[in-house]
Amino acid sequence: MQLNEELNDIIFLLEIENFIEAHNKLEELWKKYKNDEKTREESFILKAFVNASVSFELLKIQRFEHASNVWNTYKKYEDLIEKLYTTNSKNYKKIKEIVYKKREKYIK
């Protein structure tokens, strides 16, 4: 499956720090991908991004311990972004880049 339009929307939402809407869109995609045998492995990348977006929202409201726990789930699947080649890899790498920029902003 190719998600370019949806992922471009998510990239925009992350850039403007609308983490809740980014989370909702990522979760929809994750649910679709996890239930398809062909995209099951790729669904873990989406799951990572779901958790990254939640961690940022938690950091914004100063729930640091919870943010750290959720971030650990992101880290669990992060390596798949580089290891797993899909038609969506370019956008996944862009999202990863944004994730680290936002993390740097909120973790001082």
Side-chain angles (χ1 to χ4, degrees), residues 3 20-22 28 35 41 55 64 68 72 82 95 107:
L3 309 170
I20 294 173
E21 188 62 28
E28 282 178 37
N35 292 323
E41 192 172 16
S55 75
F64 301 112
S68 178
N72 289 336
E82 302 298 328
I95 293 172
I107 301 289

Side-chain angles (χ1 to χ4, degrees), residues 43-56:
S43 76
F44 294 114
I45 295 172
L46 295 167
K47 182 176 184 175
F49 293 140
V50 165
N51 284 280
S53 62
V54 168
S55 75
F56 300 140

